[in-house]
Amino acid sequence: QGFSVGDIFLGRVKKIMPGLNAAFIDVGHEKDAFLHYLDLGPQIESLVKFTNAAHNGSLSTHMLEGFKNEPDIVKTGKINRVVSNNQNILVQVMKEPISNKGPRLTADISLPGRYLVLIPFSDKISISQKIRRQEERDRLRTLVQSIKPKNFGVIIRTVAENRSVAELDADMKDLSDKWEKMFHALKNATAPTIMLGEMNRSITILRDMLNASFSAVYVNNQNLYHDIKSYIHNISPDKEGIVKLYKGSAPIFEHFGIDKQIKASFGKVVNIKSGGYLIIEHTEAMHVIDVNSGHRSHSNKDQDGNALD
């Protein structure tokens, strides 16, 4: 219900733990969030400088063209040399809170779009390994180099393959607008507060996962149906027809057998095609996976062959 991975907050450093080389950050969650030194990102000094300048109004633009980056921090450093108690810090949620632990944070901020991911205080262009053709990799690199703002790095996602310059440019503009929106929100903001929320969860899933193999997207809510339809119309007009409004009397998860799959995936037993099965049990510190031969034990193969299968 309250999914927050990807959300960007202006947090406040509550407690520094030198023994863990980490800090606990107040982001408004009931439990303070956890930020480890290795998740600060190499450009944390630049981010802090930008945050402070945007917060006190001494920075006139969100663009980083004239912004002077600070040197990268070393990987073996100590957190108490980089952040201090009660300091305001811009952080992004990278892991939901689990049981009695708060969210896990990173200060290596990134803004994900449909085709591109924008990374401030960097100039590097990275391309998804799944794009294999060298000429396409070269085309995308050249194209993105020509449209990306200075002092921003970019990760080119797999779905960017064979996309036109107009589509990539529109995505880049959208991400740049988000950064600008956050810059304006930072002025006089009081920590802890959300600076930039991820879009609707359903749409985030489609942004990250929609591909040519999708044959139908069923929605059981009229408003969400229209939102998803219009989102798919923008990113992939030929796919708009796959969005369908579910009007059945049985709950949507029950009708499509999702409930059964969820129950099975949370159960301890996993049946395997080969005839064997696994028992998975977890304790506070570890997961134990027991491999059982099941009805394979009647197989003609020897014990080693069965175990391997």
Side-chain angles (χ1 to χ4, degrees), residues 21-67:
N21 207 11
F24 285 100
I25 314 288
D26 178 10
V27 289
H29 195 269
E30 56 185 295
K31 286 257 172 27
D32 288 338
F34 183 80
L35 175 65
H36 192 272
Y37 179 85
L38 294 174
D39 295 321
L40 289 173
Q43 280 296 154
I44 179 66
E45 304 274 21
S46 302
L47 179 69
V48 168
K49 179 178 160 185
F50 174 85
T51 306
N52 292 340
H55 188 255
N56 63 29
S58 63
L59 201 61
S60 58
T61 173
H62 68 288
M63 297 308 283
L64 302 176
E65 208 164 335
F67 185 86

Side-chain angles (χ1 to χ4, degrees), residues 8-16 23-35 84-93 102-103 105 190-194:
I8 298 173
F9 288 85
L10 181 66
R12 196 172 79 256
V13 180
K14 278 288 280 288
K15 199 176 189 181
I16 293 172
F24 285 100
I25 314 288
D26 178 10
V27 289
H29 195 269
E30 56 185 295
K31 286 257 172 27
D32 288 338
F34 183 80
L35 175 65
S84 52
N85 278 323
N86 293 318
Q87 175 187 337
N88 284 354
I89 185 166
L90 210 55
V91 286
Q92 191 164 25
V93 177
L105 304 174
T190 313
T193 183
I194 188 164

Side-chain angles (χ1 to χ4, degrees), residues 28 30-31 60 86 97 115-116 137 143 148 170 179 183-184 189 205 214 218 223 233 273 276 289 292 307:
E30 56 185 295
K31 286 257 172 27
S60 58
N86 293 318
Y115 306 115
L116 310 168
R137 292 176 72 85
L143 206 157
K148 84 171 188 65
W179 179 253
F183 167 75
H184 292 305
I205 289 172
F214 275 55
Y218 289 97
N223 293 339
H233 174 75
K273 279 182 191 163
I289 303 176
N292 293 298

Side-chain angles (χ1 to χ4, degrees), residues 39-294:
D39 295 321
L40 289 173
Q43 280 296 154
I44 179 66
E45 304 274 21
S46 302
L47 179 69
V48 168
K49 179 178 160 185
F50 174 85
T51 306
N52 292 340
H55 188 255
N56 63 29
S58 63
L59 201 61
S60 58
T61 173
H62 68 288
M63 297 308 283
L64 302 176
E65 208 164 335
F67 185 86
K68 189 177 182 304
N69 282 0
E70 295 298 305
D72 287 6
I73 58 168
V74 293
K75 282 189 176 174
T76 51
K78 297 282 179 241
I79 195 152
N80 47 1
R81 301 232 174 118
V82 183
V83 299
S84 52
N85 278 323
N86 293 318
Q87 175 187 337
N88 284 354
I89 185 166
L90 210 55
V91 286
Q92 191 164 25
V93 177
M94 65 178 191
K95 206 171 180 184
E96 287 293 322
I98 291 177
S99 103
N100 62 350
K101 295 185 171 86
R104 177 92 188 234
L105 304 174
T106 176
D108 206 358
I109 305 289
S110 61
L111 305 177
R114 169 77 175 146
Y115 306 115
L116 310 168
V117 179
L118 196 62
I119 300 163
F121 316 111
S122 161
D123 253 324
K124 194 178 170 197
I125 296 175
S126 311
I127 305 174
S128 162
Q129 294 295 328
K130 290 180 184 167
I131 300 176
R132 294 208 167 87
R133 284 186 305 116
Q134 192 55 48
E135 61 270 32
E136 178 60 5
R137 292 176 72 85
D138 294 343
R139 179 189 82 93
L140 287 167
R141 189 182 296 279
T142 310
L143 206 157
V144 167
Q145 187 68 56
S146 67
I147 60 172
K148 84 171 188 65
K150 195 169 170 12
N151 216 354
F152 282 92
V154 174
I155 297 169
I156 301 171
R157 306 179 77 161
T158 311
V159 282
E161 193 167 10
N162 301 322
R163 294 292 168 178
S164 69
V165 61
E167 288 171 298
L168 298 181
D169 192 43
D171 203 33
M172 180 71 79
K173 187 176 182 320
D174 183 43
L175 294 174
S176 192
D177 288 348
K178 280 185 179 175
W179 179 253
E180 182 178 11
K181 181 182 165 192
M182 193 177 72
F183 167 75
H184 292 305
L186 266 171
K187 194 170 184 185
N188 303 321
T190 313
T193 183
I194 188 164
M195 292 284 101
L196 196 64
E198 265 284 24
M199 51 173 105
N200 171 298
R201 186 69 200 133
S202 309
I203 287 177
T204 310
I205 289 172
L206 288 169
R207 179 195 70 194
D208 294 343
M209 297 180 70
L210 185 70
N211 59 44
S213 73
F214 275 55
S215 57
V217 175
Y218 289 97
V219 192
N220 65 344
N221 174 295
Q222 187 89 38
N223 293 339
L224 189 57
Y225 167 75
H226 291 303
D227 288 351
I228 288 176
K229 213 169 163 61
S230 99
Y231 177 70
I232 290 186
H233 174 75
N234 287 337
I235 64 163
S236 190
D238 55 317
K239 283 263 177 212
E240 192 183 342
I242 70 172
V243 187
K244 297 171 170 55
L245 184 62
Y246 174 73
K247 293 177 177 173
S249 54
I252 189 168
F253 273 19
E254 205 176 291
H255 177 79
F256 288 102
I258 309 287
D259 279 339
K260 208 161 125 191
Q261 289 178 53
I262 289 174
K263 278 194 185 115
S265 60
F266 280 101
K268 288 199 296 191
V269 181
V270 182
N271 291 307
I272 308 174
K273 279 182 191 163
S274 68
Y277 63 95
L278 310 178
I279 302 279
I280 302 180
E281 294 184 300
H282 70 106
T283 64
E284 180 76 16
M286 67 166 68
H287 284 71
V288 181
I289 303 176
D290 181 24
V291 185
N292 293 298
S293 55

